[in-house]
Amino acid sequence: MTLWGGRFSTKLNDQAWDLNTSLPVDQRMALQDVDGSLAWADAIHKAGILSDEEHEQIARGLVAVRVEFASGQFSFVPSDEDIHTAVERRLGELIGAAAGKLHTGRSRNDQVATDFRLWMLQVIPQLDSAFINLQSALVEQAELAGETLMPGYTHLQRAQPILLSHWWLSHFHPLQRDRQRLVDLTKRVSVLPLGCGALAGTPVPVDRSVLAVALNFAEPSPNSLDAVSDRDFAAEFLFCATLTGVHLSKLAEQIVLYTSAEFGFFELSDAYSTGSSLMPQKKNPDVFELTRGKAGTLLGLLTGLLATLKGLPSTYDKDLQEDKAPVFAAADTLLMMLPILAGALRTITAKPERMRNAIDSFMMATDLADYLVGKGIPFRETHAIAGKAVRLAGEKKLGLEEISLEAYQVLSPAFEADVYQVFDPLESVKRRNAIGGTSPKAVAMQIAECKSQNSK
Ligand code: ARG
């Protein structure tokens, strides 16, 4: 039985039924649907719609339905159009006629929006824990790296030496912002649509503020027309997920690059790499490539929902039923990827020698310019002088450290014998000691800060 058969003479066409039914997707909100119904039953009991006995029956019945869902015992029947219908149908089977009073003053429009928000409110903390776990893996690697040096790149061209630990932590902070975004989103998810009816509000004199507290929402929605159609929280969630996807993709892209033979900066553990069916020697970074790939899929989910929302008139439209699948898919994707990445990063091996060998003296050309600044020459001039040194070295096929002091002094009389000290990459790194820099001291402070953020 559908919840709306009264005015129809024939049943819905089978294929139209398949199109219309949302049970395959929204059954994931079963527990939220029951919880929302329990709170609604309390509210309409207080408002005088349910007698004490009816209320007691409904509450007992709903708890039984909840147990069935929680234990995997619940059986759907073919006529269950959506999760709301299924719960009400089962309640009727368990307690009889009183079940028919539960839907008084309520619509599936305010109900589904409530269930969806309840679902999101429980998934955000799960995601937060998964973020924290991945962040700890990054911090562990940063600590393990000690004073290991690696080349830092801009434009994917060798730029300046950095600490490997600094690089690891550069992937911590985007995830921290992702966590903050989800916490901030929680405020907007925590607005209760229940009690808005189909669109115009409920005629039952329920206290929606009490209802909001009962369901752990911060406040009731202020406008019923907006409340039944507001899916901003779903779009925002997908944006958050997509941006996380972009962050993970950036990390993944670097791991893919750095595990190639050409770089050889890292080696993946066998548990997180895959082979080739044809080439026996291959060890492929599929986990990281898929991470990169999922970012594209997540973006598709976001644009898909925004396209659905665009152009809808005010209040509930059935198009909105398309809202849950992308959000569930995005949450599932992140809840799968975050722990896998944590595992893959915890077991990755750094190759400090390969990293060190990829640092050449040209990466200290900025230090060379800074050296002359130390001798009182303005940076604009020293930049040009260091540039000439680079050109000279290129012409002579030498490293900057191989150019003779005499040749340096032709470029500027300010050069002295101590110039060769600037080509020590560890010293170069140590000089970048201001907050946020790559010096061992600054990075140690950063590690401490990350650890304390991570434990909040
Ligand atoms: N399955 C619907 C959805 O997910 C529930 C609301 C249906 N409301 C309605 N008036 N048909 O959006």
Side-chain angles (χ1 to χ4, degrees):
M1 269 284 285
T2 58
L3 300 173
W4 40 264
R7 56 112 62 224
F8 293 89
S9 55
T10 60
K11 73 175 190 49
L12 182 64
N13 165 279
D14 284 346
Q15 286 170 324
W17 170 271
D18 291 343
L19 169 68
N20 196 51
T21 181
S22 55
L23 189 65
V25 173
D26 62 25
Q27 56 178 277
R28 286 182 62 159
M29 306 190 304
L31 297 180
Q32 289 75 30
D33 196 75
V34 174
D35 290 344
S37 293
L38 276 164
W40 185 246
D42 289 347
I44 61 173
H45 170 236
K46 278 191 206 119
I49 301 291
L50 300 180
S51 68
D52 290 348
E53 199 195 329
E54 288 163 340
H55 177 227
E56 196 265 329
Q57 275 185 316
I58 289 178
R60 202 161 26 83
L62 284 171
V63 169
V65 174
R66 200 179 199 290
V67 169
E68 290 186 1
F69 277 120
S71 60
Q73 305 292 303
F74 191 96
S75 312
F76 291 105
V77 302
S79 64
D80 289 341
E81 182 185 341
D82 51 29
I83 190 61
H84 327 295
T85 314
V87 168
E88 200 176 317
R89 187 256 316 148
R90 182 67 186 132
L91 182 66
E93 289 167 4
L94 290 172
I95 69 165
K101 292 202 171 183
L102 174 61
H103 210 55
T104 313
R106 180 178 78 168
S107 156
R108 282 181 295 165
N109 298 353
D110 57 349
Q111 196 179 351
V112 73
T114 301
D115 293 2
F116 198 12
R117 285 169 185 265
L118 279 171
W119 182 88
M120 194 172 283
L121 288 172
Q122 58 82 40
V123 89
I124 287 175
Q126 288 178 44
L127 283 168
D128 195 55
S129 310
F131 274 115
I132 290 177
N133 177 35
L134 175 55
Q135 286 181 309
S136 338
L138 293 167
V139 174
E140 285 161 30
Q141 283 291 359
E143 287 193 291
L144 204 66
E147 294 195 353
T148 300
L149 294 163
M150 77 186 296
Y153 300 84
T154 61
H155 311 264
L156 212 54
Q157 307 289 320
R158 287 179 179 173
Q160 291 175 339
I162 56 172
L163 287 186
L164 171 60
S165 53
H166 195 47
W167 179 81
W168 279 119
L169 294 182
S170 72
H171 296 286
F172 176 99
H173 301 282
L175 300 177
Q176 189 64 14
R177 296 192 291 274
D178 291 341
R179 286 180 63 201
Q180 290 162 354
R181 251 182 292 276
L182 284 176
V183 169
D184 191 67
L185 168 60
T186 304
K187 285 184 250 166
R188 287 175 295 285
V189 187
S190 191
V191 178
L192 177 73
L194 195 60
C196 285
L199 75 161
T202 182
V204 177
V206 291
D207 185 335
R208 294 189 62 225
S209 298
V210 172
L211 191 56
V213 172
L215 283 169
N216 283 322
F217 280 76
E219 55 191 333
S221 55
N223 181 308
S224 63
L225 305 178
D226 174 44
V228 293
S229 61
D230 171 15
R231 296 295 185 274
D232 291 3
F233 66 96
E236 274 194 62
F237 180 85
L238 288 174
F239 172 75
C240 293
T242 303
L243 194 54
T244 298
V246 170
H247 294 150
L248 299 180
S249 176
K250 182 179 190 170
L251 168 62
E253 164 61 9
Q254 277 171 291
I255 299 288
V256 170
L257 212 56
Y258 291 172
T259 50
S260 70
E262 282 66 20
F263 279 86
F265 290 175
F266 291 111
E267 185 170 350
L268 295 178
S269 97
D270 285 359
Y272 290 94
S273 19
T274 39
S276 157
S277 57
L278 188 131
M279 300 164 281
Q281 87 283 10
K282 287 303 289 290
K283 185 168 179 183
N284 292 331
D286 290 27
V287 163
F288 292 94
E289 294 169 285
L290 286 167
T291 303
R292 201 173 53 188
K294 295 283 183 196
T297 305
L298 286 166
L299 173 61
L301 297 173
L302 168 64
T303 53
L305 181 67
L306 287 173
T308 298
L309 296 177
K310 180 201 162 296
L312 288 191
S314 186
T315 96
Y316 183 81
D317 302 278
K318 196 60 179 255
D319 317 45
L320 292 174
Q321 184 165 285
E322 295 293 312
D323 60 357
K324 285 167 287 299
V327 168
F328 292 164
D332 290 347
T333 299
L334 290 186
L335 287 172
M336 176 167 66
M337 298 318 298
L338 292 167
I340 294 176
L341 286 173
L345 294 183
R346 281 199 168 95
T347 52
I348 206 168
T349 311
K351 304 280 173 192
E353 257 188 56
R354 294 281 311 206
M355 295 182 183
R356 177 65 187 80
N357 291 340
I359 299 172
D360 58 41
S361 56
F362 291 101
M363 299 183 73
M364 269 68 76
T366 320
D367 300 81
L368 189 62
D370 291 339
Y371 165 86
L372 291 178
V373 168
K375 307 276 177 189
I377 306 175
F379 181 74
R380 270 296 143 238
E381 284 172 44
T382 69
H383 184 280
I385 296 167
K388 282 184 191 148
V390 169
R391 194 165 73 205
L392 180 70
E395 282 163 9
K396 299 202 162 175
K397 302 213 179 330
L398 296 172
L400 282 176
E401 78 286 15
E402 291 167 325
I403 296 180
S404 69
L405 183 58
E406 294 69 39
Y408 270 121
Q409 286 172 337
V410 171
L411 296 175
S412 165
F415 280 117
E416 292 173 67
D418 61 351
V419 61
Y420 296 98
Q421 290 169 14
V422 307
F423 301 121
D424 178 346
L426 184 58
E427 290 307 315
S428 162
V429 156
K430 281 185 180 162
R431 282 189 283 273
R432 282 149 180 85
N433 197 29
I435 293 174
T438 200
S439 81
K441 251 188 173 166
V443 172
M445 268 169 62
Q446 201 188 149
I447 290 180
E449 181 58 28
C450 290
K451 277 183 166 175
S452 99
Q453 288 179 5
N454 206 214
S455 59
K456 273 175 206 151

